[in-house]
Amino acid sequence: MNRLLGGNALFALSAAALWGGSDFSGGMGVKSAGGGVRAALRVVLLSHATSFIVLVVLARLHGDAAPHGALLAWGLAAGVFGGLALTAFYIALSRGAMGASAAVSGLLAAAIPATLTLWRQGSPGEYPLLGFAVAALAIWMIAASPDAGRSGASESAAERQSARQTMAMAMFAGAGFGFYFIALKMANATGVLWPMATARIGSLSICTLLFLGLQLRPAQPTEARVRLNRGAVGWALATALLDTSGNLLFVAATRMGRLDVAAVLASLYPASTILLAALALGEWPTRRQALGMAAAVVAVALIAM
């Protein structure tokens, strides 16, 4: 267990805990703002703008050199992937059961960087590989919706369509997070603070373009009215704090060890999202989800061997 105590695994697990809280806050912020793409973009823009200001101030105080060239490009690319993925993810969280959306995105977010790292660096060992498989199983088990046992016949066509759209959003978000992990790893040679600051430039740029494009399009009659009220602002600021802290820990984890180990462990964030949803919203995990959380503990132990 030495790698868990002294290596990148501990940082990755801490990032997962903070990201789970950030996802819960982001989903609640979007829901408080009215739901939908416009609300999600406003929450992302507010939280990332706050995060960017704090990161730049800290980087300046720390005396870190600003990145340029390929490192800057990777940081901006990470922000574009992350901004698009986060917007889609918050929409999914605000529309459906938080646990299912978080778990499906987590599975893809872990699989893409893990596959790339295994291809480029080879196997990390028998136990970590087994841990990756158990982690994938754990995330999939956690993905079980509280309504999974309900027959399809009892659902209306509109409900089924909405569920499919929500799952598509979660899958798109997971793929985006996977590429975000890779790009952020490539950008982290400049330290911990500047990669995140440049990533925020990328996310703010792409989300601003999307927001301006939506503003030029008249709102649809069925589209919810955006209300960036005090509650939504509070959730957005909480998201900024938790997400930025989690990202900094993830960057530190990738600097200390393999990307696949960091990505797989950090992608266990659905567990903390589900726990918060259970405590705050009464979305209690099913037996299958509880078994998935137990499997996640086994996966952590195997990866850390």
Side-chain angles (χ1 to χ4, degrees), residues 32-163:
S32 299
V37 180
R38 295 172 190 260
L41 285 171
R42 292 197 183 202
V43 170
V44 171
L45 286 171
L46 178 57
S47 63
H48 281 200
T50 304
S51 171
F52 173 71
I53 294 171
V54 173
L55 287 167
V56 170
V57 170
L58 290 176
R60 291 289 188 182
L61 292 175
H62 196 258
D64 294 346
H68 60 276
L71 295 178
L72 176 61
W74 278 116
L76 294 174
V80 171
F81 284 125
L84 292 174
L86 202 59
T87 301
F89 189 46
Y90 286 168
I91 295 171
L93 289 178
S94 67
R95 284 183 175 181
M98 285 191 170
S101 297
V104 169
S105 67
L107 182 60
L108 285 172
I112 292 174
T115 301
L116 177 66
T117 307
L118 289 173
W119 176 64
R120 293 185 61 185
Q121 299 182 18
S123 171
E126 295 180 358
Y127 286 115
L129 279 179
L130 180 59
F132 292 168
V134 175
L137 176 64
I139 296 171
W140 184 254
M141 292 175 70
I142 295 172
S145 168
D147 297 326
R150 188 172 64 174
S151 65
S154 64
E155 297 180 358
S156 68
E159 287 176 328
R160 289 193 294 271
Q161 178 66 17
S162 177

